[in-house]
Amino acid sequence: MGRKFDKLSAIHGPQLNEELGRIEREIAALNNLLANKHKAQNKVSEAITDPASHRGYYTKLLESIARATTSKDKGMLRVD
């Protein structure tokens, strides 16, 4: 993370504005993911999120991701 700020301090003018714009777009995209904006706008049928061939897979996957993001052990992402 320190290297990124060192890189920013070394650039000026239009190049700095371009880099800051890119960073702002990345932050906006991450905020959209956190708010589930796209999931709310684009409904997906249950046939896709809970297929008959593997019932509960996506629910277990989302729960596993939630547990992994709140846990200090980042290697525990697992779906059986």
Side-chain angles (χ1 to χ4, degrees):
M1 188 167 182
R3 281 187 243 144
K4 183 68 171 179
F5 291 113
D6 291 343
K7 179 182 172 189
L8 284 176
S9 66
I11 57 178
H12 304 285
Q15 188 179 10
L16 177 61
N17 289 335
E18 184 179 310
E19 185 69 13
L20 290 174
R22 186 186 63 75
I23 292 169
E24 288 173 352
R25 289 189 302 275
E26 288 179 5
I27 291 170
L30 289 171
N31 284 329
N32 287 338
L33 287 173
L34 287 173
N36 281 330
K37 176 183 175 184
H38 300 289
K39 183 179 180 183
Q41 288 178 350
N42 305 299
K43 299 293 181 189
V44 178
S45 75
E46 192 173 304
I48 292 174
T49 60
D50 197 19
S53 62
H54 207 302
R55 291 272 182 223
Y57 173 79
Y58 291 103
T59 303
K60 290 178 187 175
L61 177 62
L62 293 174
E63 289 170 356
S64 180
I65 291 170
R67 280 192 310 272
T69 58
T70 58
S71 170
K72 291 181 182 180
D73 180 15
K74 299 301 180 188
M76 68 179 284
L77 182 60
R78 180 183 165 113
V79 178
D80 292 324

